[in-house]
Amino acid sequence: MKPILNIAAYLFVSLDDLSALRSKMLDECNARELKGTILLTGEGINLFLAGKEDALRGFLEWLRTDSRFAPLEAKESWSEQQPFKKMLIKIKAEIIRMNHPAIRPEEGRANFITPKKLQEWLDRGTDDLGRPVVMLDTRNAFEVDYGTFENALHFNIQKFTEFPKAIAAHKEQLADKTVVSFCTGGIRCEKSGLYMREIGMEHSYQLEGGILKYFEEVGSAHYQGSCFVFDQREALEPTLDSIPFEASNRKNLKVS
């Protein structure tokens, strides 16, 4: 087994003591020689960390002793080397910026689909009710270039704040389809899924755990290329091993 454990995790939960949390978390991470990035916001936490297995699992155990973080689940992968240069904890306004304050995942999630159930739908080409399934990539354009689901739609956005306007413009086009939104680890879809429901897209779902969870449970089925990640590994292949960018892995359908 490779020596460095990498985790990605997020949780939407109300937080009001951000400066104190930042100080405590930074002390714990530094004591365990962890590196990576943690975002703290009033709406929750988002983290990407790497380090030795015992140290990283110890940090998660410590974090979950705070009842607010007890439900936190992490997606795991392994690497030969530490993919982060330093340990950063930042205080932000939103975990993932969308500029729609009425969208609050903590108060209720959109409908989601598990990776294995999604594979069933994609194998068949329809959902359980016989509706055509459309995969919707909510990531930024450069991330999509590394890889995406076969025939996935995307809007060539440069930042997530552009997504609401883009999906609203294509609402009618997708009205007779079942739409499954996805992103790297699921966090963007917590908001995109709620927004699609808000604008009346009743047959919309989010992929639970995003691409990384799909790789973990399903592998490469119906996926082409690799998945960009925000550390020095650059991208992961469906085996969750790091892989260099391949220009040939750019087969997706852009919605103009």
Side-chain angles (χ1 to χ4, degrees):
M1 182 178 291
K2 297 177 182 178
I4 301 298
L5 174 62
N6 300 265
I7 63 166
Y10 68 86
L11 183 66
F12 284 94
V13 59
S14 294
L15 302 175
D16 57 8
D17 51 346
L18 302 183
S19 294
L21 276 174
R22 181 187 182 278
S23 180
K24 292 176 183 177
M25 288 183 185
L26 190 58
D27 287 345
E28 290 291 333
C29 288
N30 287 336
R32 292 175 166 83
E33 299 182 337
L34 304 179
K35 293 182 180 180
T37 301
I38 298 176
L39 300 183
L40 290 173
T41 80
E43 66 177 5
I45 185 172
N46 187 23
L47 57 86
F48 300 89
L49 293 175
K52 294 182 179 179
E53 180 179 7
D54 289 347
L56 191 45
R57 296 199 190 283
F59 172 77
L60 288 176
E61 289 177 7
W62 171 82
L63 186 61
R64 290 174 181 137
T65 60
D66 184 325
S67 60
R68 294 172 296 181
F69 301 120
L72 187 78
E73 296 183 3
K75 291 172 283 294
E76 299 183 356
S77 60
W78 299 84
S79 59
E80 292 288 355
Q81 298 179 338
Q82 169 62 257
F84 297 100
K85 292 182 178 181
K86 59 182 71 174
M87 184 66 233
L88 296 173
I89 302 182
K90 303 176 182 179
I91 295 176
K92 297 282 189 178
E94 296 181 69
I95 295 180
I96 179 70
R97 185 181 172 193
M98 192 184 197
N99 290 343
H100 278 265
I103 302 296
R104 297 180 57 83
E106 182 188 5
E107 296 177 357
R109 303 179 67 197
N111 288 350
F112 66 87
I113 183 171
T114 65
K116 291 184 178 179
K117 187 64 176 179
L118 176 61
Q119 182 185 13
E120 290 180 22
W121 284 8
L122 296 178
D123 286 345
R124 192 169 58 233
T126 65
D127 66 10
D128 292 339
L129 299 177
R131 295 171 59 91
V133 175
V134 174
M135 298 300 295
L136 176 61
D137 200 327
T138 67
R139 298 172 300 162
N140 296 340
F142 81 91
E143 298 171 77
V144 179
D145 280 345
Y146 282 77
T148 190
F149 281 92
E150 295 169 356
N151 300 315
L153 303 182
H154 75 93
F155 303 130
N156 199 32
I157 61 177
Q158 305 305 308
K159 51 188 177 181
F160 189 57
T161 52
E162 299 171 7
F163 177 82
K165 183 177 179 180
I167 187 62
H170 294 87
K171 174 185 171 183
E172 297 305 318
Q173 171 187 340
L174 299 170
D176 61 342
K177 310 289 195 303
T178 288
V179 179
V180 179
S181 65
F182 66 93
C183 56
T184 306
I187 189 168
R188 281 176 251 201
C189 293
E190 296 282 356
K191 291 190 173 183
S192 67
L194 287 174
Y195 184 79
M196 287 192 289
R197 291 279 169 163
E198 183 180 87
I199 65 173
M201 297 179 66
E202 298 180 3
H203 302 284
S204 59
Y205 297 81
Q206 65 188 72
L207 173 59
E208 180 78 355
I211 298 168
L212 297 182
K213 191 67 174 178
Y214 187 89
F215 282 177
E216 181 182 334
E217 295 190 4
V218 174
S220 63
H222 304 286
Y223 193 95
Q224 296 179 327
S226 57
C227 178
F228 178 83
V229 290
F230 292 87
D231 59 53
Q232 291 185 350
R233 293 174 296 172
E234 187 172 346
L236 299 182
E237 59 183 340
T239 59
L240 293 176
D241 289 324
S242 59
I243 187 172
F245 176 63
E246 295 289 346
S248 60
N249 293 330
R250 296 186 179 186
K251 298 180 181 179
N252 49 67
L253 176 63
K254 173 182 169 183
V255 175
S256 59

